[in-house]
Amino acid sequence: MFGAALYIQWLRYQDLQILQKRLKILAYFGLFHGFILWAGDILFIYACAGWFTCKYLNQADEIIVKRAVQFLSIGAAVSFLLLLIEPSHPLSRADIEFSQSYQDIYASWAALMSANAIAFFIMIIAVPLITIWMSAGLMLVGIFAYKKELFVKGIPNQYVKHFFVAALFFTALRVILEYQSSHLAVALREPVNLYAALFVALLFIHVVAKKWSQGRLFYTSFQCMGRLALSVYIMQTLILLLLFKVLYPSWILIFNRIDYFLLVTIIAILQLLLCQLYNHFFKYGPLEILWRKLSS
C-alpha cells in the first residue's frame, strides 16, 4: 500500500524532491517514535525504503518486477544467513532470563526508555542489512499492482489459483516451522513468513477489490482509516503503551495469544468507528496535517 501511495504521489507531482522531502519528514517521525515511544517503529523503515524505491518510479514494468524479486530475495537470504549463523534463543515467561529482564526494564521509567532506545538502535542497524530490501521489494510489488489495477480489478482470473496455492504453501510451511527447533528451521521462519505474508496480502486485496468495493460499510470504513493512517498508527502505540506500560504492566506476564487477539480486535473496531466519525468533520488527521505543513 505504501508503494502504491508513493507512485500515486509521483503521478501527481512528477517531482522527486517533493517526495523525498516528505519521506525525510516521515523518517524524523519514525526516529522520534522509535526512540521515545516504541522500538518496533515502521515509519523510519518505510521512509528509508521509500527513498530507495523512488529511483524506480518511472521505470518499465519489467524492471520493477525484476528489482522486486531481487530485493525480496536479498532480504530473505540475508535474514536466513544471519539467523543460521547466530540463532536466537526464544525466551518464554518460564525462563529466569525473562523474569530478570522484566524486573530490570520495569524498574523505572528511565530503565524502560533506555531499553526501548537500545532496542530501536539495534533495529536501525538491521535496516540496511535486511529490512530495507524487504520493504523496498514489497513497495515495488505495490507499484506494479497499482499500475496493473490490482487494487481496482483484483488479480486476473488465470492467476488467482496460483496465488492461492502459493499462499497456502508458505503459510502451511511457516506453521510447520514454528514447531521445529533445529537451527535450520529457526533460520527459515522469517524468510518463509515474508513470502506467506506477501501472497496472503495480495489475495486479501483481490477479495476486497472483487467483493467489498461497492460502497460496503467495511470498505468505506477502511477508506476512512486509510486517510488517517499515520494518526491511527501513532494512536495504537499510545493506547498500548498506556495499557501495558502504565495501567496494567502485569498483562505482559499473563496474556496469551487469544488475549492479545481480542485486545487488538477491540482497538481496531474502535478506531474504525472513530475514523468514520472523524471523517464527517475533518478531511485530514492531526498528524497528516502536521506532516503536510512540515513537508511544504
Side-chain angles (χ1 to χ4, degrees):
M1 296 295 291
F2 193 90
L6 198 63
Y7 185 71
I8 291 171
Q9 292 177 29
W10 160 250
L11 293 178
R12 179 184 302 169
Y13 299 117
Q14 294 288 311
D15 188 339
L16 281 181
Q17 289 187 344
I18 294 176
L19 298 186
Q20 289 172 344
K21 186 173 182 179
R22 288 174 61 86
L23 291 170
K24 183 168 70 173
I25 298 301
L26 185 64
Y28 292 147
F29 273 122
L31 289 172
F32 177 85
H33 181 232
F35 278 117
I36 303 301
L37 298 176
W38 185 52
D41 171 75
I42 60 170
L43 302 177
F44 181 76
I45 296 170
Y46 278 11
C48 294
W51 191 287
F52 188 43
T53 305
C54 278
K55 65 182 296 185
Y56 298 102
L57 291 172
N58 204 29
Q59 296 288 339
D61 291 349
E62 295 78 12
I63 298 296
I64 292 175
V65 172
K66 182 179 179 181
R67 292 292 180 265
V69 172
Q70 289 174 342
F71 293 165
L72 290 173
S73 299
I74 291 171
V78 174
S79 173
F80 169 75
L81 291 174
L82 288 176
L83 289 172
L84 188 65
I85 295 170
E86 190 65 34
S88 59
H89 171 64
L91 291 178
S92 71
R93 287 182 291 212
D95 294 327
I96 297 176
E97 294 91 337
F98 181 89
S99 299
Q100 186 61 51
S101 176
Y102 176 85
Q103 293 173 9
D104 292 341
I105 290 174
Y106 282 85
S108 65
W109 272 104
L112 190 62
M113 294 187 67
S114 176
N116 185 84
I118 292 171
F120 184 62
F121 181 75
I122 294 172
M123 193 197 75
I124 290 177
I125 295 174
V127 167
L129 293 175
I130 306 172
T131 320
I132 194 171
W133 299 105
M134 291 181 174
S135 300
L138 292 172
M139 289 179 187
L140 290 173
V141 171
I143 292 171
F144 181 76
Y146 180 82
K147 294 177 72 173
K148 295 301 179 183
E149 299 186 308
L150 181 70
F151 296 97
V152 178
K153 299 179 180 178
I155 301 169
N157 292 331
Q158 64 268 31
Y159 298 117
V160 173
K161 185 183 295 183
H162 298 86
F163 279 66
F164 180 79
V165 171
L168 187 62
F169 170 76
F170 284 111
T171 302
L173 180 57
R174 178 63 183 85
V175 172
I176 293 171
L177 290 172
E178 182 69 20
Y179 298 96
Q180 307 299 313
S181 57
S182 68
H183 289 345
L184 180 62
V186 172
L188 281 171
R189 287 175 187 172
E190 186 61 31
V192 170
N193 195 64
L194 167 66
Y195 291 109
L198 171 60
F199 285 106
V200 170
L202 290 171
L203 284 175
F204 185 77
I205 291 169
H206 173 76
V207 172
V208 170
K210 286 287 189 179
K211 304 295 183 182
W212 296 333
S213 60
Q214 303 303 317
R216 304 286 183 88
L217 177 62
F218 178 84
Y219 186 74
T220 55
S221 297
F222 270 99
Q223 284 182 316
C224 292
M225 182 172 280
R227 299 187 190 102
L228 309 173
L230 180 58
S231 297
V232 166
Y233 176 64
I234 300 300
M235 185 196 303
Q236 290 170 355
T237 295
L238 296 176
I239 291 172
L240 293 173
L241 280 177
L242 179 65
L243 292 175
F244 284 94
K245 307 290 187 182
V246 180
L247 299 178
Y248 309 107
S250 61
W251 280 2
I252 296 174
L253 301 175
I254 60 175
F255 262 36
N256 57 34
R257 291 185 178 181
I258 294 176
D259 295 324
Y260 283 117
F261 176 78
L262 291 174
L263 177 64
V264 298
T265 300
I266 292 171
I267 292 174
I269 292 172
L270 290 175
Q271 286 192 309
L272 280 170
L273 296 175
L274 182 61
C275 288
Q276 284 270 40
L277 178 63
Y278 186 91
N279 269 269
H280 281 296
F281 302 98
F282 305 100
K283 185 176 181 181
Y284 302 110
L287 290 183
E288 283 73 17
I289 293 173
L290 179 60
W291 189 9
R292 283 171 172 264
K293 287 185 177 180
L294 293 175
S295 302
S296 61

